[in-house]
Amino acid sequence: MPTILTSVRAFQRLDSRGKPTVQVEVETKDGKFRAIVPSGASKGDYEAIELRDGGEAYGGAGVRQAVQNVREVIGPALLDRRYDLEIGLKEIDSFMIALDGSPDKSDLGANAILGVSMACARACAAAKKIPLYDFLAGELQSSPHRYIVPVPFFNVLNGGVHSGNTMTFQEFMIAPTGAASIAQGIQWASEVYQALKSIIIKEFGKVATGIGDEGGFAPPITQPSEALDLIMAAVKAAGHEGKIKIGIDPASSEFFDDGYYDLGFKSDKPKKLTSTELADLYRALVDKYPVVLLEDPFAQDDWESWKYFHVVSKLHNVELVGDDLLATNIMRIEKAAEADACDSLLLKVNQIGTVSEALAATERAYELGWSVFVSHRSGETTDDFIADLAVGIGCGHLKAGAPCRGERVAKYNRLMDIEEELQAKKIGSSYAGKSFRYAHSQAKSE
Ligand code: PGA
Ligand code: ZN
């Protein structure tokens, strides 16, 4: 007896910024399976299009049209097709891509399509009677030979378009690579986060402990070195020196204009840098602090700067991650590979709009010898899908915000559940730790 969809429902719900988003619930004989779609603020130009209603309700951010597209177009068409969920997700996703017919999912909406894709992934896993991470691993041709629990990169200081302070760079992340398990890594990160709070209170007063969109603090600082000094002091105060590395996402497309990077874009004083000057700034930061990962240091179409800086990042052993640059899109990945512009794919399922295409992008990145870094969005929900995704593809690291705020900790809590589940079943797994960057290729070659 095949397992088929018996209903597909959709609803308008809220994300962590209080903005509307799409929730989908599909039903099979195994039960009901739900997914809620995230949304970015520093969106790239090459992302699939999420439909927003415009008009007055919710300041134009409503998703009633996307919800209606699931209810009236995608849902009925899928019910008609009677796909067997035990076979997998690819057929369903390909059908939705064809049904939409546009190159960027702007017809039915990436938010509509992705909600169905994620909910169906859960239904497929249930049909096969396996956990979601196992199902996702099986959908990947080059699935790892053992379970790898990813190193979380916690965004503890928020800037850019995610906060109200004058910090230009968007994200400063701590990565407990020296921990022995994810439970220990999460504990250390939480301790550093609390130490950081105490330091911020001492330096700037209690009023400065407000947080940004991803749960990190947003004290009144501007310079990246101020952020990194605060973090290093917190790591020391928490007693974890040498065991925690740093990742930075400047999200530089947000402050690139007319050939210059304006580090003063959040204040009334412009501070325009050429890409060479910005590269020098990165180089100085990488020399001084334990930075292991740099994401979107240059704007999404500033190819020459990416190419130049990739030579530098390789010398410094820093992972160079393309977010807006790649938009989880295979065509952009090919372009970047040809230009040798970066060596890591930031994987955001809603940038491309189906789970299967996100897995195909992963596959291609692995073929190229790249790393893959799974990511949440700044507008999140308590949906913990990406925790299973990171384990399933064995990519060794993910970012899901600070160890704070429900929609962020949902992912970290799920990862601890998975770690314990694997331990209880006596299934071999390992925390990626220092091998986070090439965890997948190492596991493949064992
Ligand atoms: P976004 O930010 O979700 O607002 O795009 C995340 C990122 O830039 O990595
Ligand atoms: Zn980014």
Side-chain angles (χ1 to χ4, degrees), residues 17 39-44 47 155 161-162 170-171 173 213-214 249-251 254 295-296 323-324 346 348 350-351 375-380 399 408:
R17 275 193 279 257
S39 176
S42 61
K43 277 186 231 152
E47 298 195 16
N155 181 6
V161 297
H162 293 168
Q170 184 177 277
E171 301 171 21
M173 296 171 271
D213 284 358
E214 296 189 350
D249 178 9
E254 294 297 320
E295 176 183 327
D296 278 1
D323 171 9
D324 292 351
L346 193 79
K348 287 170 165 170
N350 84 320
Q351 277 183 330
S375 174
H376 65 157
R377 298 306 304 246
S378 53
E380 263 296 333
K399 64 171 190 174
R408 311 295 149 187

Side-chain angles (χ1 to χ4, degrees), residues 15 21-23 35-39 110-112 114-115 118 350 379 381 383:
D15 72 13
T21 189
V22 179
Q23 174 178 298
I36 321 181
V37 176
S39 176
N111 42 354
L114 181 64
M118 288 164 69
N350 84 320
T381 74
D383 192 313

Side-chain angles (χ1 to χ4, degrees), residues 15-34:
D15 72 13
S16 58
R17 275 193 279 257
K19 295 242 172 91
T21 189
V22 179
Q23 174 178 298
V24 172
E25 190 177 270
V26 301
E27 194 167 358
T28 69
K29 64 177 162 50
D30 300 312
K32 289 178 177 165
F33 306 93
R34 185 183 272 192

Side-chain angles (χ1 to χ4, degrees), residues 1-126:
M1 267 274 281
T3 305
I4 57 160
L5 292 171
T6 53
S7 84
V8 178
R9 303 165 74 211
F11 313 88
Q12 175 167 280
R13 295 292 181 257
L14 295 185
D15 72 13
S16 58
R17 275 193 279 257
K19 295 242 172 91
T21 189
V22 179
Q23 174 178 298
V24 172
E25 190 177 270
V26 301
E27 194 167 358
T28 69
K29 64 177 162 50
D30 300 312
K32 289 178 177 165
F33 306 93
R34 185 183 272 192
I36 321 181
V37 176
S39 176
S42 61
K43 277 186 231 152
D45 290 347
Y46 301 97
E47 298 195 16
I49 303 294
E50 51 178 31
L51 286 193
R52 297 280 173 190
D53 297 336
E56 277 180 18
Y58 287 109
V63 293
R64 296 252 173 241
Q65 184 60 51
V67 164
Q68 197 180 327
N69 290 348
V70 177
R71 287 183 184 168
E72 293 176 10
V73 183
I74 301 172
L78 278 180
L79 293 179
D80 248 18
R81 305 285 297 194
R82 300 177 64 83
Y83 287 117
D84 182 0
L85 297 180
E86 281 175 58
I87 291 174
L89 188 63
K90 284 192 190 79
E91 275 188 330
I92 293 175
D93 282 346
S94 302
F95 175 71
M96 289 195 287
I97 293 165
L99 191 65
D100 173 82
S102 70
D104 52 9
K105 303 190 177 64
S106 54
D107 188 25
L108 295 170
N111 42 354
I113 294 170
L114 181 64
V116 178
S117 180
M118 288 164 69
C120 284
R122 290 196 161 107
C124 289

Side-chain angles (χ1 to χ4, degrees), residues 384-398:
D384 53 14
F385 191 94
I386 61 166
D388 285 71
L389 178 65
V391 174
I393 65 172
C395 65
H397 51 335
L398 104 166

